[in-house]
Amino acid sequence: PLLTLIAPERETAIVRALVDLYRHEGWLPDARSGNYNGRTQGGSNAEFMLTDAYVKGLPGIDWKTALAAEIHDAEVSPADHLKEGRGGLDDWHKLGYVSVEGSDRSGSVSMEYAADDFEIALLAKELGDSVAYQKYLKRSANWENLWDASFSAGGFTGFIRPRHRDGSWLSPFTAMDSCTWGGDTFYEGNSWTYSFFVPQNVAGLIGKMGGPDTFVRRLDAFFAVPGRYDVGNEPGFLAPYLYNWAGRPDKTDEHVRTIIAASYHASLRGLPGNDDSGAMSSWYAFGQMGIFPNAGQPVYLIGSPAYSRTVLHLAGGKDFTIEARNLSAKNIYVTAATLDGKPLDRAWLHHREIAAGGRLVLTMSSTPGNWGRSDLPPSTPAPR
């Protein structure tokens, strides 16, 4: 998403290369190194890159083949699921989740497949394929099949929990369980993390967790206890910005500034983890600018800028300026905003509002206000 804003020609070339790899080799890679596909760490997440490029208007891409590539990921089982495609597809198609017996890392791959299928649905809808849209939108709700409404941890009830093929829950199990290659639970995360990983339907997740107030308290608990949240791995990237969907952008302001202060600094350990081809540093760049993308959708959440003025140089010679007035070490809360001189009461932006160029002015204060509490970011519920 950062390259899409500041180097769209580079991002277009990357996406075209992914589509060409599918055309010539039969698979979209989840990772590519030395002219070789592998390893696949979670879902078939090239879907995010392709659909993100479409909804943000990148030109010169064969979208018909791109959609075919995404659907191939979702329907055809690979010979080696660690190299490409999706493991456990028989379970995914028949059960609506990947069982412990169906694939390793069954909890995390199930959650990522649901998000990947939403990306397929979104691209299919934009390309006029209503049948595929409905099919994959419905599958994007499969995360609910791993929701154990009776499991409790840390004073909260309802968590994502892996299941066996017969429908029984994985046991023994804790919300802090995670695994590496070959494990049963969650790769580079735990149930605390993946129970918040529903970028395709945050409003539905808030309802599942008991409503906005409970959701905010649960997010607070997620960040409060060491080990639950890890900014050093991608599954938790969106988490600090989820407060915006609950009408509490002030909480996003607090946590983004706290996380950056604790995890990013000028030392030998100045990044919280492997930069993963720019993942950690681009998360930092967005956090410092004061906007953050919900990847694969044309939506950005507004946070707390670290700079009084940031200028994004966009395609076509346009600039988008983010200005933070009254900014200081204590004035971290956005309490008012304007976009191109007009009042902006929401804590999110559409991509077209950025791509057109213009000026976002944020008024900063030392205490939270009521700004951004009512006009919430969009969320797409899947049909049941």
Side-chain angles (χ1 to χ4, degrees):
L2 183 60
L3 288 178
T4 297
L5 286 175
I6 65 175
E9 298 86 358
R10 176 77 54 91
E11 184 67 10
T12 296
I14 292 171
V15 172
R16 291 184 64 174
L18 290 174
V19 175
D20 283 343
L21 285 169
Y22 164 74
R23 183 182 290 112
H24 292 290
E25 299 193 7
W27 296 95
L28 282 171
D30 191 62
R32 184 78 174 177
S33 180
N35 292 326
Y36 185 82
N37 287 357
R39 283 188 162 190
T40 298
Q41 298 187 66
S44 51
N45 293 322
E47 276 85 289
F48 272 87
M49 289 191 68
L50 269 58
T51 300
D52 190 82
Y54 184 91
V55 298
K56 293 174 182 173
L58 294 186
I61 297 166
D62 179 355
W63 294 114
K64 181 179 179 180
T65 302
L67 179 59
E70 292 187 4
I71 291 175
H72 184 268
D73 272 352
E75 300 299 330
V76 180
S77 295
D80 181 0
H81 75 279
L82 295 182
K83 179 184 177 185
E84 54 207 4
R86 302 185 188 183
L89 269 183
D90 286 345
D91 281 357
W92 186 245
H93 295 161
K94 295 175 183 178
L95 304 175
Y97 63 91
V98 177
S99 71
V100 173
E101 294 80 14
S103 177
D104 60 331
R105 301 159 289 140
S106 61
S108 52
V109 298
S110 293
M111 296 301 288
E112 295 193 30
Y113 290 177
D116 294 332
D117 280 349
F118 176 79
E119 295 304 307
I120 301 174
L122 191 56
L123 183 57
K125 180 182 180 181
E126 294 294 325
L127 296 181
D129 189 337
S130 59
V131 173
Y133 167 68
Q134 291 295 330
K135 175 180 180 178
Y136 293 105
L137 186 64
K138 184 174 182 179
R139 281 191 191 172
S140 75
N142 279 355
W143 64 273
E144 297 183 38
N145 295 327
L146 288 189
W147 186 263
D148 184 352
S150 64
F151 184 86
S152 296
F156 298 90
T157 301
F159 280 81
I160 294 298
R161 183 177 181 180
R163 300 176 77 169
H164 292 284
R165 191 164 281 158
D166 64 6
S168 61
W169 298 107
L170 177 66
S171 185
F173 174 76
T174 77
M176 295 293 285
D177 288 351
S178 61
C179 67
T180 56
W181 306 104
D184 292 335
T185 55
F186 306 95
Y187 183 75
E188 294 193 346
N190 50 39
S191 187
W192 278 97
T193 300
Y194 272 97
S195 294
F196 283 112
F197 185 82
V198 189
Q200 69 272 30
N201 187 7
V202 180
L205 177 65
I206 291 173
K208 185 73 75 175
M209 288 187 173
D213 291 342
T214 302
F215 185 77
V216 168
R217 291 197 304 271
R218 184 160 169 168
L219 271 174
D220 287 346
F222 180 37
F223 293 114
V225 177
R228 289 178 178 172
Y229 175 70
D230 179 13
V231 70
N233 275 312
E234 287 85 344
F237 272 10
L238 186 63
Y241 295 88
L242 294 176
Y243 288 107
N244 290 31
W245 276 274
R248 291 299 305 274
D250 58 300
K251 291 280 190 174
T252 288
D253 297 343
E254 291 175 8
H255 287 288
V256 170
R257 296 269 59 86
T258 299
I259 291 167
I260 288 176
S263 302
Y264 290 85
H265 39 82
S267 76
L268 291 175
R269 298 184 180 275
L271 285 173
N274 187 326
D275 196 36
D276 281 348
S277 299
M280 302 301 137
S281 49
S282 59
W283 189 94
Y284 169 81
F286 276 119
Q288 295 291 76
M289 285 189 286
I291 58 173
F292 190 80
N294 188 8
Q297 300 178 47
V299 173
Y300 300 77
L301 296 314
I302 296 175
S304 177
Y307 308 121
S308 59
R309 186 173 182 267
T310 300
V311 180
L312 285 165
H313 302 296
L314 309 172
K318 297 177 182 178
D319 288 342
F320 185 78
T321 300
I322 302 168
E323 183 179 335
R325 294 181 177 173
N326 304 322
L327 182 66
S328 70
K330 293 183 178 180
N331 292 356
I332 64 169
Y333 298 104
V334 181
T335 55
T338 62
L339 180 63
D340 296 331
K342 298 178 181 179
L344 182 74
D345 296 325
R346 48 184 161 89
W348 60 276
L349 296 169
H350 194 282
H351 178 77
R352 62 175 173 265
E353 293 173 318
I354 296 176
R359 181 180 297 272
L360 174 68
V361 177
L362 306 175
T363 300
M364 312 301 295
S365 176
S366 62
T367 56
N370 292 319
W371 177 81
R373 290 180 178 249
S374 57
D375 190 349
L376 304 180
S379 189
T380 304
R384 299 302 293 168

